[in-house]
Amino acid sequence: MQKILDAMRAAHRQEPPADGATRRDRLDRLAALVRDNGEAIATAISADFGQRSSEETSLLEVFPSLGGIKHARKHVRRWMRVRRHWAGFWFLPARVALQPQALGVVGIIVPWNYPLYLAVGPITDALAAGNRVMVKMSELTPAFSALFADLVARYFRADEVSVVNGDADVAAAFSALPFDHLLFTGSTAVGRHVMRAASANLTPVTLELGGKSPAIVAPGARMDHAVERIVFGKLVNAGQTCIAPDYVLLPRDQVDDFVARVGKRVEAFYPSIGENNQYSSIVNDRHFDRLRGWREDAVAAGAKAHVLGNEEGTRRLAPSLLTNVTDEMTVMREEIFGPLLPIVPYDRIEDAINFVNDRPHPLSLYLFTDDRRIIDDVLARTRAGGVTINDTLFHIAQHNLPFGGVGPSGMGAYHGKTGFDTFSRLKPILRQARLNGVGLLNPPYGTRFRRMLSIMLGR
């Protein structure tokens, strides 16, 4: 890995900075990689999961990947422009500027749950910014990781983009390399290790983590709509989504109605869910056993599990609503990352806001209401990486919005222009004019200087 990094760094130094045509060419090749190999990509991901529908892969990975590339390609020349301004009043007629400059070599550590999109998304931003890219794929998706490494080698030179595969020890060594920037997507616990390793090299990091993203259903919300969008957000990829609704805050008198509506919606989305090949499997036995264990532990501690379907097929875990949950249960302390959905009743919207604020800042927050006062109140008083109102998930696919967490749910952001800036050094430049007055501030400091200083200080 060090040899790959050294070769990329040497190429970055020796070749001219990537101009707009070079960057667009690299983005075009990245788009072709995704577009030309969609069927092979979907097949490999499904093999890794045990079962994931090609429709979900197309919607949740191929579509946003190509959309992000198209957006970057359209705007990259404008993003590259030097950003010019006048200098401060006392330094006129000098001019100042910010010149975007590629950092060099960017490292990207990709998780298993959306292995295409969470590789291609940051690669897009890094290439748009003119960088070389090294990618560490997840060992939990071996079929796709091997395929992606082969595809990257076919579409890119080794000193442009390179893929590394291997186990957790390889990932640890990867995170310790002296990159010019390192982006990690994964759990908060692993993110701490990545940041610790990167700190030895003073490598800047962007950490896209997780946490427990709440869905607040406000009093008077359109319940059918709220149920539809929460079920969608929770059950695509069988809940193995970092921004999936992790629990629902619901008016106390609507819990039974919500449970009944969710059951009907699950049946409408995934008839005979245990045998339905459009419902994803859990990625491996360890995570399948973890989720079943958490559900059983919650029931043993007094929760009621509303299991919505049978559990047949390869690692199919039935969607399960959990009522009567308490803070001591694991499902209320840890990010679930699966199709279990705790329901937390509240009496006043104030109580729901306080419940969110009493916990670590989530990666996403979902609010269902048409009441402008409630919307403004929740937005003003809560902190989250991103917010979607009257829907779930889709804020991540808006290329004009940054994506990132806050506090335990992440550090830094990318996507679109924000991603371009993340992987660029905005070099500050002052251009002094031929005729200027700065000589008036030169020593020796006499009467003229003191008069000038008095004016400058507003005395």
Side-chain angles (χ1 to χ4, degrees):
M1 289 187 293
Q2 184 65 57
K3 290 181 179 179
I4 297 171
L5 176 59
D6 291 343
M8 284 189 167
R9 185 157 284 140
H12 183 75
R13 288 196 306 266
Q14 293 165 7
E15 296 180 10
D19 59 14
T22 299
R23 299 183 193 199
R24 293 175 77 169
D25 171 65
R26 290 172 178 170
L27 292 171
D28 286 343
R29 282 183 276 148
L30 185 61
L33 182 156
V34 176
R35 188 181 300 109
D36 296 347
N37 299 281
E39 184 175 345
I41 287 168
T43 298
I45 292 175
S46 183
D48 286 329
F49 274 74
Q51 171 59 38
R52 193 170 88 170
S53 71
S54 61
E55 293 89 350
E56 278 200 351
T57 295
S58 295
L59 174 64
L60 303 175
E61 302 217 53
V62 174
F63 167 68
S65 293
L66 291 175
I69 296 169
K70 181 178 179 181
H71 181 80
R73 191 186 187 284
K74 178 180 179 181
H75 296 286
V76 66
R77 289 188 186 275
R78 179 166 57 84
W79 296 342
M80 291 173 63
R81 293 175 188 162
V82 177
R83 306 166 194 184
R84 294 182 172 87
H85 305 278
W86 287 106
F89 177 79
W90 293 106
F91 302 94
L92 294 174
R95 298 291 300 269
V96 298
L98 288 173
Q99 178 177 314
Q101 190 172 40
L103 296 175
V105 183
V106 171
I108 298 169
I109 301 178
V110 181
W112 54 264
N113 60 325
Y114 291 96
L116 174 69
Y117 179 48
L118 295 178
V120 171
I123 291 173
T124 298
D125 293 348
L127 292 180
N131 297 285
R132 317 292 171 124
V133 187
M134 282 181 66
V135 184
K136 167 62 178 73
M137 301 300 292
S138 173
E139 67 274 20
L140 298 187
T141 52
F144 175 75
S145 296
L147 173 65
F148 193 68
D150 177 65
L151 294 176
V152 166
R154 281 198 267 152
Y155 285 79
F156 291 93
R157 299 196 319 263
D159 63 3
E160 291 179 311
V161 184
S162 187
V163 173
V164 173
N165 282 316
D167 59 13
D169 290 337
V170 174
F174 186 93
S175 63
L177 292 172
F179 293 110
D180 297 294
H181 196 102
L182 178 62
L183 183 143
F184 166 80
T185 304
S187 71
T188 302
V190 177
R192 291 190 176 97
H193 293 294
V194 170
M195 188 172 182
R196 189 178 300 114
S199 69
N201 299 307
L202 297 181
T203 299
V205 295
T206 298
L207 301 179
E208 300 300 345
L209 308 177
K212 299 186 72 63
S213 297
I216 303 174
V217 180
R222 292 173 282 131
M223 187 60 71
D224 270 341
H225 174 77
V227 166
E228 174 195 321
R229 303 320 301 159
I230 290 171
V231 170
F232 174 86
K234 186 63 175 178
L235 295 190
V236 291
N237 206 28
Q240 297 165 110
T241 305
C242 61
I243 58 171
D246 197 271
Y247 63 94
V248 176
L249 288 157
L250 193 69
R252 190 176 302 276
D253 60 358
Q254 294 183 302
V255 169
D256 292 340
D257 181 48
F258 182 84
V259 170
R261 291 177 191 245
V262 168
K264 293 177 181 177
R265 179 56 61 182
V266 170
E267 177 61 25
F269 278 177
Y270 304 102
S272 304
I273 196 166
E275 304 86 34
N276 192 321
N277 286 334
Q278 293 187 352
Y279 182 65
S280 294
S281 298
I282 303 302
V283 70
N284 59 26
D285 291 337
R286 179 172 65 85
H287 281 287
F288 183 74
D289 293 340
R290 171 185 64 82
L291 290 163
R292 284 206 303 186
W294 286 8
R295 185 176 64 190
E296 292 167 3
D297 290 346
V299 171
K304 181 177 181 181
H306 308 262
V307 181
L308 306 175
N310 55 47
E311 293 178 345
E312 299 178 6
T314 305
R315 294 189 302 275
R316 298 290 180 83
L317 188 70
S320 302
L321 301 177
L322 296 169
T323 53
N324 302 328
V325 295
T326 63
D327 286 343
E328 293 72 30
M329 297 173 183
T330 305
V331 292
M332 290 306 298
R333 290 186 287 107
E334 301 290 339
E335 182 181 6
I336 292 172
F337 226 71
L340 310 181
L341 186 62
I343 297 174
V344 179
Y346 68 84
D347 296 308
R348 301 175 302 146
I349 194 67
E350 177 84 12
D351 300 330
I353 293 172
N354 290 337
F355 191 92
V356 173
N357 287 338
D358 287 342
R359 286 151 181 80
H361 305 312
L363 182 56
S364 299
L365 184 148
Y366 304 109
L367 174 63
F368 291 88
T369 184
D370 294 316
D371 188 320
R372 172 53 61 182
R373 290 174 299 176
I374 293 177
I375 292 172
D376 291 344
D377 198 28
V378 171
L379 291 177
R381 296 175 56 196
T382 59
R383 292 184 66 191
V387 178
T388 292
I389 298 169
N390 289 321
D391 208 338
T392 57
L393 305 187
F394 288 137
H395 62 285
I396 195 175
Q398 309 310 307
H399 307 303
N400 287 318
L401 289 179
F403 177 74
V406 55
S409 61
M411 173 187 302
Y414 69 114
H415 285 194
K417 183 176 181 296
T418 299
F420 177 92
D421 289 346
T422 290
F423 296 124
S424 299
R425 161 67 175 158
L426 299 180
K427 181 186 291 185
I429 302 168
L430 170 70
R431 294 183 183 273
Q432 187 57 272
R434 180 185 295 270
L435 299 176
N436 62 80
V438 294
L440 298 174
L441 304 178
N442 291 343
Y445 303 126
T447 301
R448 183 182 63 185
F449 172 84
R450 286 190 287 272
R451 287 175 180 171
M452 285 292 298
L453 187 60
S454 177
I455 295 171
M456 292 168 67
L457 295 176
R459 293 173 178 167

